[in-house]
Amino acid sequence: MTRSLADIVAGLGTGIRIDGRWRDAASGGTFDVENPATGEIIATPADGGAADAAAAIDSAAAHQRGWAATPARDRAEILRRAYELLTERADEVALLMTSEMGKPLAEARGEVAYGAEFFRWFAEEAPRIRGDARRSPDGASRFIVTQEPVGPCILITPWNFPLAMISRKIGPAIAAGCTMVYKPARLTPLTSLYVVDLLTEAGLPDGVLSVVTTSSAGSVVGPWIESGKARKLSFTGSTEVGKSLLEQCARGVLRTSMELGGNAPFIVCRDADMDVALDAVMAAKMRNMGEACTSANRILVHRSVLDDFAGRLTQRMTNLTVGDGAAEGTDVGPLVEAAAVDKVDELVTDAVDRGAHVLCGGARPDGPGHFYPPTVLADVPRDARVMETEIFGPVAALIPFDDDDEAVRLANDTEFGLVSYVMTESVDRGFAIAEQLEAGMVGFNTGLVSNPAAPFGGIKQSGLGREGGPTGIEEFLETKYVSIPVR
Ligand code: NAP
């Protein structure tokens, strides 16, 4: 039976976890975690700072050598057990996640399945870390090439996928044999604390993963980067913060993985199957209330099918039920905080001021809760701010185009390059467009590209590196080569 939210929160390890022990912040401070549907404070985790950060990174450095020596099979078994525990407890993890982040329970359950899968995938990768042995071309040396853990890693995650964003990092780090210091998002730390407890139960040794919750990210992450003890930083979040972290990491030449912002174009060609395109755009736009880096931000529709597409999309958006994500039957939960509603409202107002037409939604309701209605905007002008800004809300912005070249030009007219979508019944046209799209991922007749077995990541200012897939573990490995003369 699923426990109540109060019981789940009461059972959580609280505070900061270092070296296998929960402790209060050195300052003694705490901060509030709010339920965005109700405004209720549901927990008050420890508010860590520089002293806590120093203790955490010292622990990670002290345990690195021993952890790296743990057999790969043992590390794999911990991940496999964590996958099983998460799967068994999907309902209560989902309830906790919905309560701090807002997404509907059905979506939260989907995220638990997706997030747990990273543990299973990397459990299978751990024993398969490979090396190489061969003779030099001149025959004078033997080359032995091994893959070693990169060393203590700093992990930083955003609030929008409180489980999957961290299992996508912890999974490969454990598989590779890296120790970790982790700072979850201020708005959604509870799911992370749950996962840390669960990993301990799955057998993760003390000191391998330390967690510092905080309301002041820089006061924890800055000291970690400057400590000289971390060898890698893996970040998921906005491009703005990612750039600043890259600069900081450059000073100590830390390895980095950067999963940053997006501005996804969604192209509906004139020969698209309308039902496929509508299913796909609903998935790409409305997953997570539009609060996803993969969210369809600019929906480019061939002028000949625009009226049909806009009418049917408006119908689907109008049919969605908005409410508390914890209530069964809710399709669209609240946005994560009041500032998120302000931002979406400003973007819609800007587009309308410049000539866009509201087909549905477009007006923020009164509180309580941080709700914004599903909204469709037609005739969005090309100078509207939504064209270059991540909306991060349930707003579909429709922009007409007249031929494939124009669609590709518009799609690529952004500094971002995370994901693009193309809808067409023609395989030739779809491939031709996909080849020209400047993005790390392309959804061809689908609005969902995330899969633990596939390489997730962006180009341009959407990031560096890939998470998941066969190459995901390489982000946490260093190559070492030993040269042995042939005598
Ligand atoms: P954010 O503001 O960049 O925050 C991300 C993380 O960085 C949070 O843990 C945050 O802590 C921390 N942070 C903020 N300022 C920092 C600083 N000065 N030093 C060190 N850490 C700092 O992003 P967000 O609003 O949480 O998430 C939304 C963004 O993430 C969007 O741009 C979205 O596209 C992107 N995203 C990308 C992917 C991907 O895979 N490419 C996936 C999901 C989200 P606090 O929570 O305490 O502020």
Side-chain angles (χ1 to χ4, degrees):
M1 202 183 80
T2 308
R3 292 180 292 168
S4 69
L5 177 65
D7 286 346
I8 299 168
V9 172
L12 277 182
T14 52
I16 286 162
R17 187 174 174 91
I18 298 173
D19 237 341
R21 280 193 314 111
W22 291 104
R23 47 168 101 169
D24 292 337
S27 68
T30 59
F31 65 99
D32 293 343
V33 177
E34 184 199 75
N35 180 335
T38 61
E40 182 195 352
I41 304 302
I42 53 175
T44 53
D47 198 356
D52 309 295
I57 194 68
D58 285 352
S59 168
H63 287 90
Q64 178 57 54
R65 188 187 289 261
W67 176 235
T70 308
R73 179 66 73 200
D74 294 2
R75 302 197 304 269
E77 293 294 337
I78 294 166
L79 287 171
R80 175 72 202 196
R81 181 78 187 119
Y83 160 77
E84 287 162 359
L85 288 172
L86 260 179
T87 305
E88 281 166 22
R89 298 179 193 165
D91 283 346
E92 72 175 44
V93 186
L95 178 60
L96 184 63
M97 191 191 304
T98 291
S99 305
E100 65 176 344
M101 188 273 163
K103 69 182 73 187
L105 275 177
E107 280 198 49
R109 287 190 198 104
E111 184 180 339
V112 177
Y114 171 56
E117 199 59 49
F118 285 103
F119 288 156
R120 179 158 70 165
W121 175 262
F122 285 106
E124 291 158 354
E125 291 293 281
R128 288 173 179 66
I129 296 169
R130 282 177 304 184
D132 188 19
R134 57 196 156 89
R135 286 278 179 105
S136 60
D138 63 7
S141 303
R142 294 184 182 90
F143 294 164
I144 310 293
V145 181
T146 56
Q147 300 282 316
E148 300 187 349
V150 67
C153 297
I154 302 167
L155 312 181
I156 307 170
T157 54
W159 48 263
N160 61 343
F161 291 97
L163 175 68
M165 295 303 96
I166 190 54
S167 63
R168 206 164 77 172
K169 298 185 190 304
I170 290 177
I174 289 180
C178 298
T179 58
M180 297 154 272
V181 289
Y182 171 36
K183 192 211 80 63
R186 172 181 55 85
L187 295 170
T188 59
L190 305 181
T191 307
S192 312
L193 297 175
Y194 191 105
V195 170
V196 173
D197 270 341
L198 184 137
L199 280 161
T200 306
E201 193 179 335
L204 192 68
D206 292 347
V208 174
L209 170 63
S210 291
V211 181
V212 181
T213 50
T214 181
S215 67
S216 165
S219 72
V220 170
V221 176
W224 281 345
I225 296 173
E226 286 155 22
S227 68
K229 294 176 179 166
R231 291 307 328 141
K232 155 132 198 149
L233 181 143
S234 177
F235 173 76
T236 301
S238 63
T239 296
E240 187 189 355
V241 173
K243 282 183 190 175
S244 155
L245 292 172
L246 276 170
E247 281 177 21
Q248 295 174 54
C249 287
R251 287 183 222 132
V253 195
L254 267 70
R255 281 265 302 268
T256 56
S257 297
M258 292 278 154
E259 295 287 348
L260 307 179
N263 178 0
F266 186 103
I267 301 172
V268 183
C269 297
R270 63 183 149 79
D271 60 356
D273 179 316
M274 276 297 138
D275 292 323
V276 169
L278 283 159
D279 287 347
V281 80
M282 290 302 288
K285 179 71 255 178
M286 294 307 290
R287 182 178 184 215
N288 230 32
M289 293 80 70
E291 294 174 315
C293 54
T294 51
S295 186
N297 212 58
R298 296 166 295 145
I299 302 170
L300 311 171
V301 188
H302 193 271
R303 204 178 294 276
S304 65
V305 294
L306 182 59
D307 286 348
D308 183 29
F309 183 82
R312 291 166 69 178
L313 176 62
T314 302
Q315 190 62 52
R316 291 207 187 193
M317 293 284 265
T318 312
N319 287 345
L320 296 173
T321 303
V322 181
D324 186 337
E328 289 296 340
T330 293
D331 299 309
V332 184
L335 300 190
V336 73
E337 60 176 341
V341 182
D342 293 344
K343 179 187 165 192
V344 171
D345 200 40
E346 281 167 22
L347 289 173
V348 169
T349 303
D350 169 80
V352 171
D353 286 350
R354 293 173 196 267
H357 296 109
V358 179
L359 300 186
C360 67
R364 64 191 299 172
D366 294 334
H370 310 308
F371 293 96
Y372 198 87
T375 297
V376 179
L377 299 178
D379 307 317
V380 175
R382 294 184 188 178
D383 62 351
R385 284 177 53 209
V386 291
M387 295 294 282
E388 59 184 28
T389 309
E390 267 188 305
I391 302 171
F392 247 56
V395 177
L398 306 185
I399 301 113
F401 68 86
D402 290 300
D403 60 45
D404 292 355
D405 287 347
E406 186 187 15
V408 169
R409 207 169 44 250
L410 281 171
N412 290 339
D413 186 18
T414 168
E415 67 202 17
F416 298 104
L418 188 61
V419 59
S420 300
Y421 305 92
V422 56
M423 304 293 125
T424 169
E425 282 291 88
S426 160
V427 172
D428 286 345
R429 167 174 278 135
F431 268 123
I433 291 177
E435 282 168 1
Q436 296 174 74
L437 289 171
E438 296 169 356
M441 302 175 286
V442 178
F444 180 178
N445 285 340
T446 176
L448 197 62
V449 293
S450 306
N451 189 308
F456 188 103
I459 61 171
K460 295 163 79 176
Q461 294 195 25
S462 286
L464 299 168
R466 293 292 179 272
E467 290 192 323
T471 54
I473 196 165
E474 289 168 13
E475 301 282 323
F476 291 86
L477 292 169
E478 279 295 7
T479 299
K480 180 183 279 178
Y481 135 68
V482 178
S483 179
I484 308 169
V486 177
R487 296 185 198 282

